[in-house]
Amino acid sequence: MRIPEESNPDQRLYRIRHSLAHVMAQAVLEMREGSTLGFGPPIEDGFYYDFILTEPLTETDFPELERRMKRILKKGQRFYHEELPIEDAYARLDEMREPYKREYAEELIEKNGLEALSFYRNGPFLDMCEGPHVETTRDIARDAFKLRSVAGAYWRGDSNNVMMTRIYAWAFADKPALDEAVEAHELAQERDHKKLGRELDLFTFDDAIGRGLPLWMPHGTVIRDELEKLAIELEFKAGYQRVATPHIAKGSLYRQTGHLEHYKEAMYPPMEVVEETPDGSSIRETYMLKPMNCPHHHKIYAARLRSYRELPLRLAEYGQVYRWEASGAVSGLARVRMLSMNDAHIYCTEAQIKDVFREVISEYDEAYRILGLEDYTIRLSRWDPDDPKGREKYVDAPDDWARTEAIIAEVLDDMDVDYEEGPGEAAFYGPKLDVMFRTITGKVEQLSTVQLDFAVPGRIGLKYIGDDGAEHVPYCVHRAPLSTHERFVALLIEHFGGAFPTWLAPVQVRVITVSEHFHDYAQGLVDRMRANFVRAELASESDTVSKKIRDATTRKIPNLLIVGEREATDGTVTLRRYGVKQQATMPFSEFESALAETIRRRSLAFVADPPSR
């Protein structure tokens, strides 16, 4: 469907991409006569088109397909528009033998009460389409598009439907813009966390376990543990108390909190169990895997009556939650079905909300600074009262929405934080701040969040005794600066390109001997470092020195210590850092001291530079 001009800042580029989709479809039908069309929309960096092909088409066919597309562009085919009455439109689609277009046409007519359908023709190619398009194919630069990939895609995105072949392509106004996009894509491929995860032995998936359920390998678990350690330390300093909760709960809990009402589609199916009671009878219970930690934390809060003197009460947990992501959405660690949440909930009075938000934003800033993450923005995600599905998506409390959204906006303004707004992006129980990261490859992703919950505490019966002696309902601030381990590790793998700083690296130091004669000295160094909880290891004795160095470089180990006769005699080591050609020989005690300081400070350097001598 057409994007309205007023909502599309680059209408010309949209027209180019939309027109190229038709050109590609025309070329595909030339190569695979009798194939059937699905959808072919413009997208952020180009376009795609879905097909049911009479014969497979792969990336090896791209040169021929591009050649045909450029020939069509050179012909200067004009785009002609026509509106057909419904019956004529159906007859046209039947004549074209396009059953999927016919199905979509029937849906459009039923939903929108249309009396006619729009078609565009260029050359011999005809498509049901609302446009807009360029005037002729000569208006498109022949060197500003490039076919990208072939993928499978279910018709209408529904796994119950037929699988189509989707062909993706880049398209821009000129060649320099195309070259920039291709270069960014190549960088993304090189740094893709799924690729590096395999190469660095960080995580794996297995069909016997299930889609979207990651298995963390020893090296990946190190990264998880270090991030959890960082969070625990930051939370301890900020006054959080750690708790632990089960992975499941009765379905009645999630009904009470509203998750079943607003979040059921993202939850695993219920488990029905029959349990015997002490009197010999039996009851049927429904249990569910928890999609979030908050209902469990609410019950910890509710374990006893609270006083206003206890607030803000900060409860933190590294809890695993489970969400039924759609099959098409599951992707590496970025979208999984088991998530390890860096989660905390802060229970506070309305008067404390602003201070709590200020503190949380500062906590986020500190965590990101330690990790070297600087390119991010804040989005204030509001509810959308005009959303036709609003009753399903949000708690229906307009006054509460207005009041809490105003509180958060005031905090941001007071802190002089630049932010954008995201109508319709709120949680079902309140507004939130989303931290939007621009990744190393230029992609913007929502990662961390701070949510203000004005609804569920009252719904679940949480209370505190105020200074007036009366009962009041607390607010709950949900925060997760490190998001989920899975998504955050995916981000860090790509951000560092797998070359983690020393404090975060799975192997912090590898010792390499120039010959087996110095094994005892090298092993002694490893033992000494491991006694101080440094992740050190000795390289294989069977390989040559050059192969040992090559292997360590491939593994992106930050610090290599090379030892031979001189080092063994003098008690020294020769340090070679990842990505640095220069080597330096120094007393081992000097390196050990610098290493300890690097790890203690969580420095982004691989190891602190030794003092000049």
Side-chain angles (χ1 to χ4, degrees), residues 459-499:
R459 183 169 180 162
I460 203 170
L462 303 189
K463 298 175 182 178
Y464 69 91
I465 302 299
D467 58 2
D468 59 357
E471 291 184 345
H472 302 270
V473 176
Y475 287 80
C476 180
V477 175
H478 307 237
R479 49 107 278 179
L482 303 185
S483 183
T484 70
H485 266 318
E486 292 73 20
R487 292 195 72 191
F488 210 78
V489 170
L491 172 80
L492 291 178
I493 291 171
E494 295 180 0
H495 180 75
F496 291 116

Side-chain angles (χ1 to χ4, degrees), residues 374-410:
E374 300 176 348
D375 197 355
Y376 61 90
T377 57
I378 302 296
R379 181 180 70 194
L380 172 53
S381 295
R382 302 177 180 268
W383 81 316
D384 183 359
D386 298 323
D387 189 328
K389 294 186 176 180
R391 290 185 177 276
E392 301 171 21
K393 292 176 63 176
Y394 313 110
V395 171
D396 187 13
D399 291 343
D400 290 325
W401 281 104
R403 185 177 68 260
T404 52
E405 287 177 354
I407 290 172
I408 297 176
E410 189 173 336

Side-chain angles (χ1 to χ4, degrees), residues 154-221:
Y154 292 111
W155 167 240
R156 309 299 299 277
D158 187 339
S159 59
N160 294 315
N161 290 338
V162 64
M163 176 72 77
M164 294 183 146
T165 298
R166 176 171 294 177
I167 303 175
Y168 285 98
W170 289 288
F172 292 88
D174 52 43
K175 190 174 187 301
L178 172 66
D179 291 342
E180 184 179 339
V182 173
E183 184 178 347
H185 175 74
E186 290 172 352
L187 177 61
Q189 293 293 102
E190 179 184 331
R191 290 186 174 232
D192 181 67
H193 79 275
K194 298 184 289 294
K195 170 180 173 288
L196 290 173
R198 289 190 301 271
E199 294 174 356
L200 300 178
D201 209 22
L202 301 178
F203 60 89
T204 190
F205 293 89
D206 193 292
D207 287 341
I209 301 296
R211 290 202 67 196
L213 301 173
L215 297 169
W216 290 92
M217 308 294 274
H219 284 177
T221 303

